[in-house]
Amino acid sequence: MKSRLKELRAREGYNQTQLAKLAKVSRQTISLIEREEYMPSLLIAVRIARIFNEPVEHVFQFKEEEL
């Protein structure tokens, strides 16, 4: 799954720790999502999308082979 998380985080001026606190996850979770080593649950994905006022599908995109 591809993520625009780092791009959106930079746009809003959040560091990983700040975003993690807002999303109620650890900083390590944000780092893993950004490195595409962890696929967030639907709940976490929705929380993150709401923080950036973006639809979930604009923050996270599945690669064709993942579907």
Side-chain angles (χ1 to χ4, degrees), residues 49-66:
R50 285 184 176 183
I51 290 166
F52 297 115
N53 198 29
E54 296 271 355
V56 173
E57 60 271 18
H58 288 183
V59 180
F60 302 99
Q61 297 93 32
F62 284 101
K63 297 172 186 169
E64 188 60 36
E65 62 269 10
E66 294 175 321

